Amino acid sequence: MNKRVLIIGASSGIGKELALQYERLGCEVTITARNIEKLKEIAENKRISYEYLDVNNYEEAISKIKKLVQNTDITIISAGIGDFNKELNFDIELNTIKTNVGGFVACVTEVFNYYKSIKKGHIAAISSLASLRGSDLAPAYNASKAFISNYMDGLRKKSIKEKLNINITTILPGLVDTQMAKGEGIFWVEPASLIAKQIIRGIWKQKSELIVSNRWKLIALLLKFIPNWLYYKL
């Protein structure tokens, strides 16, 4: 595989595993995050370049993405945060929205517009199965992931209607063994390496929506069709 891949948010978890696996497949990989030391460790002695990027600094993010996306074939947006917020602390909710919504839009618009200018490219974004229903423990997190899924669907429609040849893949992981799981991963938790492998395969197959791993497809169906009266008791 000889692709040029940009991964936004790759200092740990799924983003990191995607970078390592794409590099092993022979791809030229560029990774970004706020933690520059972790990026250096990932890139050491590998065909991986790195760049500091804070998606919450919208103007800087837009400027950097505009340069980093040049000559790439695939861009994966993996940057995101998630916190429990049972007490509905406004600062936690706002920070989640700022990163998962504002930061995402700052990145994806620049990437889409570049691929539009060359009429080809592939954009993938990490949403979540949490996007399918609301959460009493992390309202902003679930809502922000629903925003990503819906926004990606809009870009998919835009690409098709305008005949842009831009592939759009929305990725919905279940529980993954990363910091994002916040200790919840006692039920069907999956290693990030396995999830990354399935994501790469799904992108290669140009999937529109990708639920990973396969066992979580059953949970997705349950979340979509479970009656409200039952869901609200869980």
Side-chain angles (χ1 to χ4, degrees), residues 89-203:
N89 180 287
F90 174 72
D91 290 336
I92 293 175
E93 299 294 270
L94 181 61
N95 193 40
T96 301
I97 294 167
K98 185 178 180 181
T99 301
N100 295 1
V101 175
F104 164 75
V105 172
C107 296
V108 79
T109 51
E110 282 304 314
V111 174
F112 187 90
N113 284 330
Y114 170 70
Y115 288 154
K116 179 178 180 178
S117 71
I118 62 174
K119 290 197 172 181
K120 64 177 182 177
H122 197 137
I123 305 173
I126 307 294
S127 180
S128 171
L129 282 186
S131 67
L132 300 178
R133 299 298 298 254
S135 169
D136 56 321
L137 297 177
Y141 176 77
N142 286 39
S144 68
K145 291 300 184 177
F147 177 93
I148 291 172
S149 294
N150 194 285
Y151 200 99
M152 291 289 281
D153 196 39
L155 294 183
R156 189 177 299 112
K157 182 179 180 181
K158 186 175 181 66
S159 177
I160 292 169
K161 287 184 70 174
E162 297 182 17
K163 299 179 181 179
L164 299 176
N165 194 32
I166 303 173
N167 294 304
I168 304 292
T169 300
T170 309
I171 301 160
L172 287 79
L175 284 176
V176 184
D177 189 14
T178 65
Q179 293 179 346
M180 198 75 73
K182 304 292 184 183
E184 284 186 285
I186 57 174
F187 174 70
W188 278 4
V189 67
E190 303 279 16
S193 57
L194 173 64
I195 298 305
K197 183 178 180 179
Q198 293 185 7
I199 289 172
I200 291 171
R201 186 185 303 123
I203 290 174

Side-chain angles (χ1 to χ4, degrees), residues 12 48 54 60 91 96 117 121 140 143 153 166 180-181 193 204 206 208 219 222 228 233-234:
S12 62
I48 298 176
D54 181 0
E60 180 184 277
D91 290 336
T96 301
S117 71
D153 196 39
I166 303 173
M180 198 75 73
S193 57
W204 179 73
Q206 299 183 350
S208 295
I219 301 300
L222 290 173
N228 286 342
K233 289 182 178 181
L234 296 177

Side-chain angles (χ1 to χ4, degrees), residues 62-100:
I62 289 169
S63 177
K64 285 193 174 183
I65 292 298
K66 189 175 293 186
K67 296 176 182 178
L68 293 172
V69 74
Q70 299 292 317
N71 301 316
T72 62
D73 303 295
I74 301 168
T75 297
I76 302 172
I77 303 174
S78 180
I81 60 172
D83 286 295
F84 291 133
N85 192 15
K86 189 175 181 180
E87 303 304 320
L88 281 184
N89 180 287
F90 174 72
D91 290 336
I92 293 175
E93 299 294 270
L94 181 61
N95 193 40
T96 301
I97 294 167
K98 185 178 180 181
T99 301
N100 295 1

